[in-house]
């Protein structure tokens, strides 16, 4: 008996590595060379390609395809119908379908991607960043940034707990969880405490 759950309508190819307590729901497909960590949830109609690496406690909502070249670190959230790409210049007449053709996309720990957002390949989304619903990410996103729009632009900053951060003299303390941050241009760093 396995220590993970696969719905009877889902397909998990032989060779795929699935972590303990992970749940794979209706009509999803995980390819043979995919790696999925512990405690993940893959909603209905999720596709995970070969060579994809998914960390622990990742939540992938319905209708999301994770294509080759994409890595999701621990605690990443992918909202319903959000889109990853893996080729910058696709042409049907000139197929680009080998590992050498795919640009790498990295979603770092704790980042959230909203419903219907698009992540253009070759980008890195920083730790605990928040991509708004419908945004189109075309460049790297720094840690803790909130981005929205087409193309996505920084509109604010967010704590690990999901609360908007307000900075005063380059410092912020989350009013919800008490975590402290310092800001230097577009770099946010979590610190143990804010020095007076």
């Amino acid at each position: 008996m396995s220590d993970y759950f696969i719905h009877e309508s889902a397909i998990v190819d032989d060779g795929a590595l699935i972590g303990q307590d992970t749940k794979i729901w209706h009509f999803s497909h995980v390819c043979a060379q995919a790696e999925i960590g512990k405690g993940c949830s893959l909603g209905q109609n999720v596709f995970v390609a070969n060579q994809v690496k998914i960390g622990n406690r990742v939540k992938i909502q319905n209708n999301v395809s994770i294509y080759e070249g994409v890595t999701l670190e621990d605690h990443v959230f992918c909202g319903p119908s959000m889109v990853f790409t893996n080729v910058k210049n696709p042409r049907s007449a000139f197929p680009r379908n080998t590992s050498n053709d795919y640009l790498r996309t990295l979603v770092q720990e704790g980042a959230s991607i909203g419903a219907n957002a698009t992540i253009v390949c070759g980008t890195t989304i920083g730790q605990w960043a928040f991509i708004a619903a419908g945004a189109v990410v075309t460049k790297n996103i720094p840690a803790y940034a909130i981005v929205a729009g087409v193309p996505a632009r920084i509109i604010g900053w967010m704590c690990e707990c999901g609360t908007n951060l307000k900075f005063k003299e380059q410092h912020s303390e989350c009013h919800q969880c008490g975590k402290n941050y310092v800001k230097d241009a577009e770099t946010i760093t979590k610190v143990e405490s804010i020095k007076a």
Side-chain angles (χ1 to χ4, degrees):
M1 184 171 174
S2 62
D3 55 0
Y4 48 81
F5 171 80
I6 300 172
H7 189 269
E8 61 184 13
S9 66
I11 298 170
V12 176
D13 294 340
D14 290 344
L17 299 177
I18 311 295
Q20 182 179 357
D21 296 327
T22 285
K23 294 177 174 58
I24 300 171
W25 291 100
H26 308 68
F27 311 114
S28 292
H29 180 193
V30 178
C31 292
Q33 298 170 41
E35 296 180 24
I36 300 174
K38 299 177 182 177
C40 296
S41 175
L42 280 64
Q44 180 173 301
N45 195 36
V46 170
F47 172 71
V48 182
N50 285 317
Q51 311 299 330
V52 166
K53 291 185 182 354
I54 296 173
N56 299 318
R57 294 169 297 285
V58 171
K59 187 164 189 177
I60 302 170
Q61 301 285 62
N62 296 350
N63 306 313
V64 175
S65 293
I66 316 291
Y67 295 117
E68 188 169 339
V70 176
T71 298
L72 308 180
E73 293 185 351
D74 295 349
H75 299 107
V76 165
F77 176 90
C78 295
S81 301
M82 60 78 46
V83 175
F84 288 104
T85 68
N86 63 359
V87 174
K88 205 72 153 180
N89 56 345
R91 293 287 200 199
S92 180
F94 300 92
R96 295 176 177 95
N97 54 8
T98 69
S99 294
N100 293 332
D101 296 323
Y102 301 142
L103 295 180
R104 302 292 174 202
T105 297
L106 173 62
V107 184
Q108 294 183 330
E109 180 181 7
S112 293
I113 303 171
N116 293 306
T118 298
I119 311 301
V120 175
C121 56
T123 54
T124 295
I125 297 174
Q127 292 182 323
W128 306 102
F130 189 90
I131 312 303
V136 177
V137 172
T138 60
K139 62 182 181 180
N140 294 343
I141 304 300
Y144 303 104
I146 304 170
V147 301
V150 181
R153 290 183 171 82
I154 296 173
I155 61 168
W157 305 96
M158 185 176 285
C159 177
E160 290 179 12
C161 76
T163 302
N164 285 12
L165 295 171
K166 303 296 183 193
F167 283 87
K168 182 178 180 182
E169 297 179 359
Q170 309 307 315
H171 300 121
S172 181
E173 179 178 354
C174 177
H175 71 269
Q176 186 69 36
C177 71
K179 288 184 177 69
N180 295 290
Y181 299 88
V182 294
K183 181 174 185 282
D184 180 11
E186 290 189 353
T187 300
I188 304 296
T189 306
K190 185 174 72 170
V191 294
E192 290 301 315
S193 63
I194 296 173
K195 296 177 182 177

